[in-house]
């Protein structure tokens, strides 16, 4: 028997109803899913947990179903399915890059695209990197490591490396995109808050026939020098009403990492320097 205040009791009843549906459909309910379910239904009491948690994009190399865990993640996946250019904007830990990678892998498995291009701006690719050993690719590799990590989590390491070796999957710094046209590709630009306005325009105009782009970033963590305007910030103003372009915004409510990450994001958002 459930007891409590009206709103909390209604939420608890709704959660039990929705979680029962999930269990009946064979969903392997884990403790974190209870928290995700509470967040979702607290924001939208009419939401269907089955429509969200069972919306499997692909299966990881560890045989784990990749599906959304928040309303924003569900909206993000739906946006990628329906639009050629999607921006995912919000704090760390909300699954922006990982879900984009999962969608790319899923579309490649279905042969809807022929290649995946993973791009990141290397903000320090100037004088400071000049002191590091190796060629340019080796110098910028630390900036691209998070993309490799996500890829190898979704795809068997040997398979992923073979596709990279054959050029089917490319991981490159943003500067390498200049002058290119990308056809039949799924292109992900990560950490886009660190692009300049010129770089963002350059990237978006690389798309060729049959290609899609996902741009991810957190406008509160811009590392551009000299107070330069972020290309991501400008794109939010310039492209907001362009057909085929969709913006999805994430908040701390969408963080799906260790629970402490959500608390950290909230603390920094609430902090007022001085």
């Amino acid at each position: 028997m459930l007891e409590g205040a009206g709103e909390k009791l209604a939420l608890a009843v709704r959660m039990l109803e929705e979680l029962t549906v999930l269990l009946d459909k064979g969903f392997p309910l884990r403790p974190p899913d209870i928290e995700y379910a509470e967040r979702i239904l607290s924001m939208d009491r009419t939401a269907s947990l089955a429509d969200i948690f069972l919306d499997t994009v692909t299966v990881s190399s560890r045989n784990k179903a990749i599906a959304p865990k928040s309303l924003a993640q569900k909206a993000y996946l739906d946006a990628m399915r329906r639009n050629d250019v999607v921006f995912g904007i919000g704090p760390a830990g909300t699954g922006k890059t990982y879900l984009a990678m999962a969608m790319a892998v899923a579309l490649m498995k279905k042969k809807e695209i022929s290649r995946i291009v993973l791009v990141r701006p290397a903000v320090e690719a100037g004088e400071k990197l000049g002191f590091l050993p190796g060629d340019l690719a080796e110098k910028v590799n630390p900036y691209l490591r998070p993309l490799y990590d996500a890829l190898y989590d979704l795809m068997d390491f040997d398979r992923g490396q073979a596709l990279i070796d054959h050029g089917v999957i490319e991981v490159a710094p943003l500067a390498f995109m200049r002058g290119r046209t990308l056809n039949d590709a799924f292109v992900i630009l990560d950490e886009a808050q660190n692009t300049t306005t010129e770089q963002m325009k350059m990237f978006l105009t690389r798309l060729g026939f049959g290609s899609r782009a996902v741009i991810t970033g957190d406008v509160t963590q811009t590392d551009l020098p000299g107070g330069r305007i972020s290309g991501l910030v400008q794109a939010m103003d310039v492209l907001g009403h362009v057909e085929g372009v969709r913006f999805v915004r994430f908040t701390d409510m969408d963080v799906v990492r260790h629970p402490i990450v959500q608390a950290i994001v909230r603390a920094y958002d609430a902090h007022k320097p001085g």
Side-chain angles (χ1 to χ4, degrees):
M1 179 177 179
L2 295 175
E3 296 181 355
E7 282 298 312
K8 290 186 177 180
L9 180 59
L11 175 59
V13 171
R14 178 67 177 148
M15 276 190 61
L16 284 176
E17 292 173 347
E18 287 295 304
L19 293 175
T20 299
V21 171
L22 282 173
L23 291 171
D24 287 344
K25 291 180 179 292
F27 182 79
L29 198 63
R30 301 174 303 117
D33 296 320
I34 306 296
E35 181 183 350
Y36 302 148
E38 182 180 5
R39 290 189 211 169
I40 291 169
L41 294 175
S42 294
M43 297 176 69
D44 182 358
R45 198 66 57 83
T46 66
S48 167
L49 295 183
D51 288 346
I52 297 171
F53 288 179
L54 299 179
D55 185 13
T56 300
V57 184
T58 189
V59 178
S60 75
S61 59
R62 293 175 293 178
N63 204 34
K64 176 184 175 184
I66 308 302
K69 299 296 184 183
S70 74
L71 292 170
Q73 287 193 353
K74 171 62 174 171
Y76 188 47
L77 290 176
D78 288 343
M80 286 189 278
R81 291 173 175 130
R82 298 168 184 165
N83 298 273
D84 292 330
V85 178
V86 175
F87 288 79
I89 302 170
T94 50
K96 305 182 300 295
T97 303
Y98 192 84
L99 288 177
M101 193 82 76
M103 182 63 72
V105 170
L107 293 177
M108 175 168 281
K109 289 178 179 178
K110 296 177 183 177
K111 302 187 184 302
E112 292 186 25
I113 56 168
S114 60
R115 59 191 308 217
I116 298 172
V117 183
L118 312 173
V119 185
R120 256 194 172 200
V123 175
E124 298 294 333
E127 293 183 349
K128 294 184 180 180
L129 284 183
F131 293 102
L132 296 176
D135 58 22
L136 180 58
E138 291 170 326
K139 291 175 189 291
V140 300
N141 190 61
Y143 293 91
L144 304 175
R145 189 75 256 167
L147 295 175
Y148 284 105
D149 290 343
L151 175 64
Y152 294 142
D153 191 61
L154 287 162
M155 187 177 290
D156 175 79
F157 179 87
D158 292 337
R159 172 64 174 161
Q161 192 59 53
L163 291 174
I164 291 173
D165 292 342
H166 288 87
V168 177
I169 297 177
E170 179 180 356
V171 185
L174 178 59
F176 285 21
M177 295 298 104
R178 192 172 298 279
R180 300 177 60 183
T181 300
L182 302 171
N183 294 314
D184 297 314
F186 195 104
V187 192
I188 301 172
L189 172 58
D190 193 35
E191 297 288 341
Q193 75 275 6
N194 289 328
T195 62
T196 64
T197 57
E198 296 83 4
Q199 287 174 328
M200 179 61 77
K201 181 179 179 182
M202 179 273 290
F203 171 79
L204 291 172
T205 53
R206 297 308 92 203
L207 292 181
F209 294 107
S211 289
R212 311 185 195 189
V214 177
I215 300 94
T216 71
D218 179 359
V219 295
T220 70
Q221 295 193 39
T222 300
D223 299 316
L224 291 172
R228 300 190 67 177
I229 297 175
S230 166
L232 179 58
V233 172
Q234 187 191 56
M236 294 166 65
D237 293 331
V238 174
L239 303 176
H241 301 291
V242 175
E243 186 175 352
V245 177
R246 173 75 190 279
F247 289 83
V248 179
R249 289 170 173 79
F250 296 82
T251 70
D252 60 271
M253 291 292 288
D254 302 299
V255 171
V256 292
R257 288 183 181 169
H258 190 291
I260 194 64
V261 175
Q262 185 182 42
I264 290 171
V265 170
R266 287 179 174 173
Y268 272 98
D269 287 344
H271 179 66
K272 294 181 174 57

